[in-house]
Amino acid sequence: MNTSEFRRRGKEMVDYVADYMEGIEGRQVYPDVEPGYLRPLIPDSAPQEPDTFEDIINDIEKIIMPGVTHWHSPYFFAYFPTASSYPAMLADMLCGAIGCIGFSWAASPACTELETVMMDWLGKMLELPKAFLTENAGEGGGVIQGSASEATLVALLAARTKAIHRLQAASPELTQAAIMEKLVAYSSDQVVATLGTTTCCSFDNLLEVGPICNKEDMWLHVDAAYAGSAFICPEFRHLLNGVEFADSFNFNPHKWLLVNFDCSAMWVKKRSDLTGAFRLDPTYLKHSHQDSGLITDYRHWQIPLGRRFRSLKMWFVFRMYGVKGLQAYIRKHVQLSHEFESLVLQDPRFEICAEVTLGLVCFRLKGSNKVNEALLQRINSAKKIHLVPCHLRDKFVLRFAICSRTVESAHVQRAWEHIKELAADVLRAERE
């Protein structure tokens, strides 16, 4: 493909993507395929001669789309949202074109510096304590990780390294192995200190946990993977109170802030805690500015060596939506979740199982787990909407998460009418 054809095919692909997004409501939200459906549809080895672009495009609808779960359908209410916006898609195109591997400042200065600034922009949107920011020669800073799970692992490894160094400084006779076998990590059944748990969007009280961790010199990592986006709204910022006690904090703009996957934002109070654990300095990666104190090399902040130019997505989205536009988007989703909560509360057959704080409603039919399992099975078999469950203590609960960028009140209303009809069928079958 030469430049001339790329121009033509690129426009065609943009049109295809725009048509897909515009018509996604008309597609069945969950596919009909069975495991293994795809392999018989494609050759068992790569072609020796090039295929045409037309053939590839045609195969998208024949082979790929039948097996796609449409996460951005306004009838997708499962898991949590995964962000999607046209500005982020365009930024990803540019990222692919630049194609740098930003393991150091020298590898592409703009890749490193834009990430540093974007993480400060986002930190200010959240009103994070200044200790987490890079500007004004602070000790902290932000970095884009691939996922909240990755950020948690990075924090755990950094905390372990810091503890080993501290104990060896106090007792030089201790070997690393002797220390390692005695180290303890504390967690709840939601993993770490969490703001907006996956099951029901509940919140740990950082004002209680934080001072204890600080007093005992324990690393406190705070995970707000889903809920963190809401903290840009002043009315939800109180949910982040106590973050000043944390050593590291993470949330996913790629969930609810219109920045397409992957973009997991992680901040630390002392970036030396990360670089002390992950520093990698072979001769071929060194450069003349690395010890200037003016820049950072992000390979020292993460597990992989290479990294994409992911901050372009943040830059495009923050500029094209503005903070007010992003706040309006969050508020709309929260409003829709409360609308669904109100519908559930009006039906005496159902109950709400957890406080509705943001965009998630946990609900169930009053009665046994079996009847709720049957309801979910009917919902997902019908494939008009898509939900996933959770367990709250001993109860089987249905989760209704406001997800799509294009979801409106009418979609929520239709989803509820559908759920009510299927619930009637389930209860009727149970009586028979």
Side-chain angles (χ1 to χ4, degrees), residues 136-205:
N136 301 323
E139 292 184 60
V143 58
I144 301 173
Q145 305 286 0
S147 67
S149 304
E150 186 177 338
T152 299
L153 179 58
V154 166
L156 183 65
L157 295 175
R160 183 182 71 177
T161 301
K162 186 175 184 179
I164 290 170
H165 290 169
R166 182 179 71 244
L167 292 167
Q168 285 184 323
S171 305
E173 73 281 2
L174 288 176
T175 65
Q176 180 170 317
I179 295 173
M180 290 270 283
E181 66 181 10
K182 295 183 182 298
L183 291 179
V184 174
Y186 293 87
S187 69
S188 71
D189 60 1
Q190 307 295 321
V191 184
V192 295
T194 307
L195 303 178
T197 58
T198 302
T199 51
C200 62
C201 199
S202 60
F203 292 79
D204 286 325
N205 189 338

Side-chain angles (χ1 to χ4, degrees), residues 16 57 112 124 169 289 402:
Y16 179 86
I57 286 293
T112 293
K124 291 175 184 178
H289 296 285
I402 305 297

Side-chain angles (χ1 to χ4, degrees), residues 17 21 72 82-92 257-261 313 316-318 320-321 326 329 405:
V17 170
M21 298 304 294
H72 303 291
T82 181
S84 175
S85 69
Y86 294 124
M89 293 181 207
L90 293 174
D92 251 348
L257 211 58
L258 296 171
V259 180
N260 289 37
F261 188 85
K313 293 181 290 191
F316 274 46
V317 169
F318 295 167
M320 295 191 74
Y321 279 90
L326 295 171
Y329 176 70
R405 177 174 53 84

